């Protein structure tokens, strides 16, 4: 009932009109529709063939079917008489969306079947007005049919419409709850918390959520706890139920990050949250409670619904009880459940963090299978009083770690289980030697890694708890040093003088006799850090000196020492300004030496980040080649050349200053080892400085002349070290300049557009604008329509002048009495004409037609030949033709360009001969 009957009638021409009448029998609707379509198929005029062709197309192509359905449905929806009729169609639409047959797309592989729910929801988003479906139904569809993006768009549009209509939008709104639930499923925590903060009614909630979003776990925990206590204290403070639930959920999340599983278990028990009780119980090693919880109806229901986490807890319990025979079956079932959930998630490129939870579960499934194998080997060897070889699995577990940016709870999911397995392994070999038992498990590494993550995430209490849990555990020297280091480093995260002194005392009381040189250097580095925190910079400087003396190749000690030297510049004081500047220069030169030495020891990203600081320090020498330039010249020679590649522009721009001689060695090493990286930038700098050399001579600018001379020397050295590469790069550059230059029409159009924009933006006198416009037009005329044409594109220039030269001179030359409005009108007319001509230029051209020589490189690697960027020079004596040309390049040369190949080889020989005769006293560059 409430459906409509569709009657199709022929109108004039080939149009079909649709008339809607109220009808209570849906069979009549379909019958009338079939009759109308059948009459069209049997009628004359070709309509039947058209409909049959469309039917074949939409059965053969999914996107065509989707587009046809959207267009037809939108037209039919728009033709309905009023919104009352549209409202009567909402229930049938929902019934259609909820048909169980839509789930058949999951039975086929990706891309083999169409997700009908996604298609229909995408269609509904295009309807105007949009039908108001039940948010609960939409949220269910989004989870079960991977339609979260379509449902989010639908719900957000409805929410905006409600706001425009003045409806109250708060946490109790069904649309808000549905949107937030979808973002929670997508693991978009920040967006979900932002929605909660937007619709919350208390300022305390907004403050606590802000702390939570910024990752301040301790502060957020205190804020939510104060809100909960305030709400439970009675009085006038009565929060809404949804907001109180939000406080409790975020407080539980904070307790999980703080590893307070006993509190979490107590809260879950009081609130009756069985899944949370199950998680807390196995982490507290309460396996009797885990077994009882798995038999409760709510957990059994979750298992039947296909929750992989619940099934994973069954694997935990089976391993703990020793039922290793059922682990493989449970592991296979859990993997299947995870894969089913993976299929219902968006694509990786559009889903953000939605897949992270499943990826973590996959890792835990792999480790559960490995745990079963480990315990099987342990039990068999323990029965025979022998020790198994577990080095392989333990080494794999050391390398298979969560990402450093992931929350502490993710790390705990992995390491708490590992620690329980290590305890189980140790209990099977209680009869063996303690050192042998220590080699069979890796609990110290797990606790130290967990403490390191907790410290870096600002949770020193959690770090201290994990370190203290292995204080009496047997371990090797490396683990003992890491434990001491983490224990000392935990004092660094608290910025108080008391904690700083405590950390210093702990360093001083540590016995370093068992550690190697690098570990001792790290201890002295930490000591220097705490001394610096205690404002004792001289002793800190001495401690850094001891660290690099013990281990000269420890890069981190060098970088920290360099930072201390930079900080000493800020507090440098002296009686005179000259002495103060001298002290600053000495401190900076020491810092520069430390930074460059750190790069020499370890060219990782933490050491390389100080290279721009070294370049900026050179400016403190002023107009003389002082301590900083000398330090750079001495230390940079031992630094790898490749670390300077991102700073080539800064190095070239420094050639005109006093530090140029110190940079020459660095640039020479770069052009020897990485010529392609420096070639184009060096060439541009060479021609720029060459063009300014005449002006600098007239002004007596010695620095500019020296810069031009240095770039000329570097250009000559590049030709001498890599002659063949230089020749080929010149050919490539010549093709780029000559063949990809804009057309004359495009250049003239750009010039005219620039003049018009300058006139529109100018607010000056009209006479001045007119004079400026005439000067610009005269320059354009001399550039494009001169009598003598000297251009590489001479033929095109002649044709362009013959086509437009006479008309341009007639419009803009020889009219001294022309007014500015007349010139503007003529310029606009020229702009329209040139735009029409420029639009005829094809947007795409074949590279083979435009530049055949460049097309030869299209299928090759980025290097022009194998090993072109390796650290070796090319000469006639040590380089064969096979080394100079790649296989594809020589094949194309010999097959298609034999004459060009001969000319190219001849030119290469001449270049080599010229470069060998040039020497240091010849004409550099060129």
């Amino acid at each position: 009932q409430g459906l409509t009957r569709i009657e199709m009638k022929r109108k004039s021409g080939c149009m079909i009109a649709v008339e809607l009448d109220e009808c209570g029998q849906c069979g009549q609707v379909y019958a009338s529709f079939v009759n109308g379509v059948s009459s069209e198929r049997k009628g004359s005029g070709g309509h039947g063939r058209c409909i049959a062709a469309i039917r074949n197309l939409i059965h053969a192509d999914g996107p065509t079917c989707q587009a046809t359905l959207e267009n037809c449905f939108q037209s039919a929806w728009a033709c309905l008489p009023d919104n009352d009729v549209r409202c009567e169609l909402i229930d049938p639409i929902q019934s259609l969306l909820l048909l169980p047959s839509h789930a058949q797309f999951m039975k086929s592989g990706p891309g083999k079947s169409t997700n009908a729910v996604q298609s229909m929801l995408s269609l509904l988003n295009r309807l105007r007005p949009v039908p108001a479906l039940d948010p609960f139904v939409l949220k269910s569809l989004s989870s079960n049919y991977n339609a979260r993006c379509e449902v989010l768009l639908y719900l957000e549009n409805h929410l905006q419409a409600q706001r425009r209509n003045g409806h109250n939008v708060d946490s109790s709104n069904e649309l808000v709850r549905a949107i937030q639930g979808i973002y929670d499923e997508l693991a978009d925590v920040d967006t979900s918390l932002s929605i909660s903060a937007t619709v919350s009614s208390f300022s305390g909630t907004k403050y606590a959520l802000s702390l939570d979003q910024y990752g301040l776990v301790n502060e957020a925990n205190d804020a939510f706890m104060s809100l909960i206590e305030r709400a439970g204290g009675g009085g006038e403070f009565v929060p809404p139920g949804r907001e109180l639930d939000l406080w409790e959920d975020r407080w539980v999340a904070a307790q999980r990050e703080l590893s307070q599983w006993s509190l979490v278990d107590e809260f879950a028990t009081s609130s009756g949250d069985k899944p949370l009780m199950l998680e807390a119980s196995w982490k507290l090693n309460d396996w009797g409670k885990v077994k009882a919880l798995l038999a409760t109806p709510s957990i059994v229901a979750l298992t039947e619904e296909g929750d992989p986490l619940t099934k994973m807890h069954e694997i935990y319990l089976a391993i703990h009880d020793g039922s290793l025979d059922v682990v493989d079956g449970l592991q296979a079932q859990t993997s299947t459940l995870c894969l089913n959930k993976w299929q219902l998630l968006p694509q990786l490129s559009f889903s953000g963090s939605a897949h992270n939870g499943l990826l973590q579960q996959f890792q835990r499934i792999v480790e559960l299978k490995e745990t079963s194998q480990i315990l099987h080997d342990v039990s068999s060897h323990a029965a025979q009083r022998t020790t198994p070889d577990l080095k392989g699995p333990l080494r794999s577990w050391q390398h298979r770690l969560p990402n450093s940016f992931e929350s502490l709870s993710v790390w705990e999911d992995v390491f708490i289980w590992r620690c329980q397995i290590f305890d189980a392994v140790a209990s099977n070999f209680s009869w063996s030697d303690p050192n042998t038992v220590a080699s069979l498990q890796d609990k110290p590494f797990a606790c130290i890694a967990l403490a390191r993550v907790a410290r870096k995430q600002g949770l020193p209490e959690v770090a201290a708890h994990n370190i203290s849990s292995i204080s009496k555990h047997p371990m090797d020297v490396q683990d003992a040093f890491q434990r001491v280091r983490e224990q000392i480093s935990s004092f660094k995260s608290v910025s108080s003088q008391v904690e700083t002194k405590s950390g210093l005392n702990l360093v001083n009381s540590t016995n370093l006799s068992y550690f190697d040189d690098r570990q001792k250097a790290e201890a002295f580095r930490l000591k220097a850090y705490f001394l610096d925190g205690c404002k004792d910079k001289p002793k800190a400087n001495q401690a850094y000196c001891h660290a690099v003396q013990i281990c000269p190749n420890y890069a981190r000690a060098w970088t920290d020492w360099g930072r201390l030297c930079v900080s000493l510049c800020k507090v440098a004081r002296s009686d005179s300004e000259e002495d103060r500047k001298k002290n600053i220069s000495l401190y900076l030169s020491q810092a520069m030496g430390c930074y460059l030495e750190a790069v020499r020891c370890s060219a990782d990203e933490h050491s390389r980040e100080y290279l721009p600081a070294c370049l900026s320090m050179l400016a403190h020498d002023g107009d003389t080649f002082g301590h900083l330039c000398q330090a750079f010249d001495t230390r940079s020679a031992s630094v790898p050349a490749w670390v300077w590649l991102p700073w080539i522009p800064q190095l070239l721009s420094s050639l005109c200053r006093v530090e140029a001689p110190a940079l020459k060695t660095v640039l020479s090493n770069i052009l020897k080892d990485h010529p392609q990286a420096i070639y184009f930038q060096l060439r541009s700098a060479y021609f720029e400085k060459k063009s300014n050399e005449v002006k600098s001579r007239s002004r007596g600018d010695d620095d500019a002349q020296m810069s031009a001379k240095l770039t000329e020397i570097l250009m000559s050295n590049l030709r001498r070290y890599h002659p063949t590469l230089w020749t080929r790069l010149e050919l490539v550059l010549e093709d780029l300049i000559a063949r990809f230059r804009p057309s004359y029409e495009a250049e003239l159009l750009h010039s005219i557009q620039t003049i018009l924009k300058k006139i529109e933006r100018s607010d000056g006198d009209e006479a001045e604008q007119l004079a400026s416009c005439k000067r610009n037009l005269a320059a354009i005329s001399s550039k494009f329509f001169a009598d003598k044409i000297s251009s590489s594109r001479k033929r095109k220039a002649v044709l362009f002048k013959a086509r437009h030269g006479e008309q341009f001179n007639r419009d803009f030359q020889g009219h001294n009495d022309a007014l500015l409005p007349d010139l503007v009108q003529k310029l606009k007319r020229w702009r329209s004409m040139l735009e029409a001509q420029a639009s005829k230029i094809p947007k795409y051209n074949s590279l083979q037609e435009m530049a055949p020589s460049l097309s030869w490189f299209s299928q090759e690697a980025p290097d022009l030949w194998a090993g072109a960027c390796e650290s070796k020079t090319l000469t006639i004596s040590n380089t064969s033709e096979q080394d100079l040309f790649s296989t594809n390049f020589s094949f194309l040369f010999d097959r298609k360009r034999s004459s060009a190949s001969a000319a190219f080889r001849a030119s290469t020989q001449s270049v080599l001969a010229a470069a060998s005769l040039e020497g240091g006293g010849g004409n550099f560059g060129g």
Side-chain angles (χ1 to χ4, degrees):
Q1 294 181 359
L3 298 176
T4 56
R5 180 170 57 86
I6 303 176
E7 293 184 356
M8 307 184 69
K9 296 182 179 180
R10 181 175 305 281
K11 297 290 184 180
S12 60
C14 60
M15 300 298 294
I16 299 176
V18 180
E19 294 184 0
L20 299 161
D21 296 327
E22 293 295 331
C23 178
Q25 301 296 328
C26 61
Q28 296 179 1
V29 177
Y30 185 71
S32 60
F33 175 76
V34 170
N35 292 333
V37 173
S38 299
S39 62
E40 281 299 321
R41 293 181 62 186
K42 296 176 182 178
S44 60
H47 299 294
R49 292 194 299 272
C50 179
I51 292 177
I54 292 175
R55 291 178 64 187
N56 292 332
L57 284 175
I58 64 178
H59 278 85
D61 185 62
T64 303
C65 179
Q66 176 74 17
T68 307
L69 176 64
E70 289 178 358
N71 292 327
C72 294
F73 204 96
Q74 287 181 64
S75 301
W77 186 263
C79 292
L80 293 176
D82 52 33
N83 288 335
D84 294 336
V85 178
R86 296 186 180 98
C87 290
E88 293 178 357
L89 293 175
I90 291 178
D91 289 339
I93 291 175
Q94 290 187 161
S95 301
L96 177 62
L97 289 170
L98 293 173
L99 288 176
S101 58
H102 296 319
Q104 62 184 348
F105 83 98
M106 296 180 60
K107 299 179 181 179
S108 57
K112 297 181 180 180
S113 180
T114 303
N115 190 335
V117 174
Q118 278 187 354
S119 300
M120 285 188 283
L121 288 173
S122 176
L123 164 64
L124 295 178
N125 280 322
R126 296 176 178 272
L127 299 181
R128 293 297 181 271
V130 181
L133 303 181
D134 186 2
F136 178 78
V137 172
L138 292 173
K139 186 176 181 303
S140 175
L141 292 172
S142 69
S143 304
N144 296 330
Y145 295 97
N146 190 14
R148 294 176 180 85
C149 297
E150 292 79 9
V151 172
L152 272 178
L153 177 61
Y154 187 93
L155 294 175
E156 288 173 354
N157 289 335
H158 263 284
L159 187 64
Q160 294 297 331
Q162 286 190 3
R163 286 178 174 172
R164 287 193 299 267
N165 295 331
H167 292 284
N168 183 25
V169 178
D170 55 11
S171 59
S172 61
N173 189 285
E174 291 184 355
L175 291 176
V176 174
R177 294 168 62 182
I179 292 173
Q180 193 170 6
I182 295 176
Y183 279 116
D184 288 336
E185 292 178 357
L186 293 174
D188 195 345
V189 181
D190 288 338
T191 304
S192 178
L193 294 180
S194 299
I195 294 174
S196 299
T198 303
V199 300
S200 60
S201 56
F202 292 100
S203 58
T205 305
K206 300 179 186 294
Y207 171 71
L209 288 173
S210 299
L211 294 174
D212 200 355
Q213 281 184 292
Y214 282 106
L216 303 175
V217 180
N218 284 309
E219 293 81 355
N221 174 61
D222 296 339
F224 284 118
M225 192 64 203
S226 64
L227 288 172
I228 294 172
E229 291 176 350
R230 186 180 173 189
E236 299 180 356
F237 187 74
V238 181
R242 289 282 302 174
E243 203 149 341
L244 182 58
D245 293 341
L246 173 66
W247 298 344
E248 293 178 349
D249 291 342
R250 299 316 304 168
W251 178 83
V252 169
Q255 295 301 320
R256 294 176 62 178
E257 296 299 322
L258 294 171
S259 299
Q260 299 295 326
W261 290 106
S262 57
L263 290 177
V264 173
D265 183 53
E266 182 180 349
F267 173 81
T269 304
S270 62
S271 61
D273 191 344
K274 294 296 190 299
L276 188 59
M277 290 170 59
L278 187 62
E279 181 182 7
S281 297
W282 80 262
K283 290 185 177 179
L284 292 173
N285 212 2
D286 189 356
W287 294 103
K289 191 174 182 179
V290 170
K291 188 172 184 179
L293 286 171
L294 287 175
T296 57
S298 58
I299 300 298
V300 172
L302 286 175
T303 306
E304 293 176 352
E305 290 175 3
D307 183 26
L309 278 176
T310 309
K311 186 64 70 173
M312 199 176 297
H313 290 123
E314 294 183 9
I315 304 178
Y316 288 150
L317 183 61
I319 292 176
H320 179 268
D321 292 342
S323 304
L324 303 180
D325 298 336
V326 301
V327 170
D328 289 341
L330 292 174
Q331 186 261 346
Q333 296 175 18
T334 309
S335 301
T336 303
L337 295 176
C338 289
L339 292 173
N340 289 337
K341 281 190 170 293
W342 183 280
Q343 191 176 2
L344 293 176
L345 289 176
Q347 295 182 3
L348 281 171
S349 56
F350 299 101
S351 59
S353 304
H355 294 80
N356 291 358
L358 282 177
L359 291 173
Q360 294 157 9
Q361 291 176 23
F362 283 130
Q363 176 183 352
R364 293 164 66 181
I365 290 172
V366 171
E367 293 201 359
L368 287 173
K369 187 172 183 178
E370 293 173 348
T371 300
S372 175
Q373 297 172 356
I374 289 173
L375 293 181
H376 185 273
D377 293 341
V378 165
S379 61
S380 60
H381 280 274
Q384 302 174 8
R385 291 278 175 163
T386 58
T387 55
D389 184 11
L390 301 179
K391 292 180 180 180
L394 294 182
R395 191 179 300 111
S396 299
W397 282 10
Q398 285 185 357
H399 292 286
R400 191 192 300 131
L401 301 175
N403 296 307
S404 58
F405 55 82
E406 289 179 317
S407 62
L408 185 63
S409 59
V410 176
W411 287 76
E412 282 192 331
D413 290 340
V414 176
F415 281 111
I416 289 179
W417 174 251
R418 290 184 183 179
C419 290
Q420 293 182 7
I421 296 304
F422 294 148
D423 292 338
V425 171
S427 65
N428 282 276
F429 296 95
S430 57
W431 45 266
S432 182
D433 181 63
N435 293 328
T436 304
V437 176
S439 65
L440 296 177
Q441 46 88 25
D442 205 10
K443 187 175 181 179
F445 173 82
C447 294
I448 292 169
L450 200 58
R452 184 184 300 113
V453 173
R455 174 177 58 84
K456 291 185 176 182
Q457 294 186 7
L459 305 172
E461 297 86 359
V462 181
H465 172 73
N466 284 282
I467 289 297
S468 62
S469 64
I470 56 170
S471 58
K472 298 181 180 180
H473 200 280
M475 62 187 74
D476 56 14
V477 176
Q478 177 67 22
D479 289 335
F481 172 75
Q482 291 296 334
R483 183 184 67 82
V484 173
R485 183 184 180 278
E486 283 303 317
Q487 193 173 0
I488 296 172
S489 299
S490 62
F491 293 99
K492 295 170 59 177
S493 58
V494 182
S495 57
S496 67
Q497 201 70 13
V498 176
E499 296 294 334
T500 302
K501 291 181 179 180
S502 300
L504 180 59
N505 294 332
L506 184 58
V507 175
N508 291 330
S509 62
T510 302
N511 186 7
L512 303 179
S513 58
Y514 299 100
F515 303 139
D516 59 19
D517 291 343
R518 192 177 185 87
Q519 292 168 348
K520 292 177 182 178
E522 172 65 10
F524 275 99
R525 186 192 71 84
L526 292 172
K527 179 179 179 180
Y529 174 86
F530 287 116
L531 287 171
D532 189 15
C534 294
K535 310 300 181 185
D536 195 350
K537 292 186 180 293
K539 289 186 177 180
N541 188 45
Q542 187 178 5
Y544 281 126
C545 182
H546 287 326
V548 298
Q549 284 177 350
I550 294 172
C551 185
N553 293 324
Y554 188 37
R556 191 167 184 183
W558 284 108
T559 55
D560 287 3
W561 195 8
R563 285 202 297 265
L564 177 67
C565 294
V566 172
S567 66
L568 290 173
C569 299
K570 301 177 182 179
V571 297
R573 296 178 181 178
S574 184
D575 296 335
S576 62
E577 183 67 19
E578 183 178 354
D579 292 341
R580 192 182 70 84
K581 290 183 178 179
K582 184 178 179 180
N583 291 335
I584 290 176
S585 178
L586 289 174
Y587 283 133
L588 289 179
S589 63
Q590 293 174 7
M592 179 187 293
C594 292
Y595 291 153
L596 294 177
E597 192 67 21
V599 177
R600 182 194 66 80
C601 297
S602 176
D604 56 4
E605 58 182 6
H606 300 292
S607 301
R608 297 199 310 270
E609 66 182 8
Y610 295 101
L611 290 177
C614 295
L615 296 177
S616 65
M617 289 177 187
L618 295 173
H620 289 272
D621 265 348
D623 299 332
T624 59
F625 194 85
H627 298 288
L628 290 164
C629 294
Q630 293 174 7
F632 189 89
D633 191 16
T634 304
R635 297 284 184 178
S636 62
S638 58
V639 174
W642 65 268
V643 303
W644 298 105
L645 295 183
W647 312 107
I648 289 176
Q650 285 76 15
L651 293 172
L652 293 175
S653 64
S654 299
L655 291 177
C656 61
R657 295 193 289 270
V658 69
E659 63 266 20
L663 301 176
K664 181 182 176 183
T665 304
V666 174
L667 290 170
S668 299
N669 292 335
I670 293 175
L671 62 88
K672 286 180 183 178
D673 298 342
H674 311 282
Q676 289 180 260
I678 196 175
Y679 170 74
F680 290 103
Q681 300 178 75
L682 178 61
R683 187 180 186 276
S684 300
Y686 168 73
F687 284 112
E688 179 184 357
K689 297 181 185 302
K690 198 72 175 175
S691 61
N692 296 332
E693 187 177 7
V694 178
K695 298 180 182 178
S696 62
R697 287 177 181 173
S698 61
R699 296 194 306 265
D701 191 350
D702 296 335
D703 291 339
Q705 296 181 34
M706 181 188 68
S707 174
K709 190 70 175 178
L710 287 175
T711 53
E712 197 172 8
I713 293 173
L714 292 172
M715 198 71 182
S716 176
N717 289 339
L718 180 61
R719 288 181 56 188
R720 185 162 54 250
Y721 292 142
H722 306 281
T724 309
L725 174 64
W726 179 85
T727 304
R728 295 186 67 183
L729 287 175
E730 284 290 333
L731 292 175
V732 170
L733 189 61
E734 182 181 353
D735 276 348
L736 289 173
I737 294 174
R739 298 181 181 274
F740 295 96
R741 182 179 174 180
S743 63
Y744 282 104
E745 288 82 359
E747 291 186 14
L748 181 58
L749 174 62
H750 177 71
S751 301
I752 290 176
Q753 287 175 340
T754 304
I755 295 175
L756 288 173
K757 288 181 179 179
K758 189 179 296 184
I759 294 173
E760 292 174 359
R761 296 174 181 176
S762 178
D763 297 331
D765 186 22
E766 184 175 343
E768 296 180 359
Q769 295 183 23
L770 180 61
S772 176
C773 182
K774 288 182 178 180
R775 287 195 300 269
N776 293 330
L777 290 172
I780 291 174
S781 178
S782 62
K783 176 182 178 181
F784 292 98
F785 310 111
D787 295 335
K788 294 182 179 180
I789 301 175
S790 58
S791 173
S792 59
R793 303 183 295 173
K794 188 171 183 179
R795 178 175 175 273
K796 293 183 178 180
V798 171
L799 293 176
F800 182 75
K801 179 181 178 182
R803 189 181 304 114
H804 300 293
E806 183 178 355
Q807 181 65 32
F808 187 88
N809 292 329
R810 187 185 309 115
D811 288 343
F812 300 110
Q813 301 297 323
H815 300 283
N816 296 328
D817 55 346
L819 300 177
L820 184 62
D822 297 336
L823 287 178
V824 170
Q825 292 297 325
K826 292 179 181 179
L827 287 171
K828 289 182 178 179
R829 187 171 65 251
W830 272 84
R831 181 180 64 182
S832 301
M833 179 187 66
L834 292 172
E835 284 177 349
Q837 294 181 4
S839 64
K840 298 178 182 178
I841 300 174
K843 296 181 179 180
Y844 304 99
N845 281 319
S846 172
L847 185 62
Q848 182 67 33
E849 297 177 0
M850 293 290 295
S853 60
L854 295 181
S855 67
W856 298 337
F857 304 105
S858 60
Q859 301 299 328
E860 294 184 8
D863 287 346
L864 291 181
W865 64 77
C869 291
E870 293 181 1
S871 179
K872 63 180 182 180
T873 57
L874 295 172
T875 60
I876 299 178
S877 59
N878 65 5
T879 305
S880 63
E881 186 176 355
Q882 185 178 2
D883 295 328
L884 294 177
F885 302 99
S886 65
T887 305
N888 293 336
F889 187 84
S890 58
F891 173 76
L892 290 173
F893 252 85
D894 297 337
R895 186 77 178 269
K896 298 183 179 180
R897 299 289 187 274
S898 57
S899 59
S901 175
F904 183 80
R905 285 193 291 270
S907 65
T908 301
Q909 297 296 328
S910 62
V911 170
L912 288 171
S916 63
L917 294 174
E918 192 171 293
N923 298 318
F924 296 100

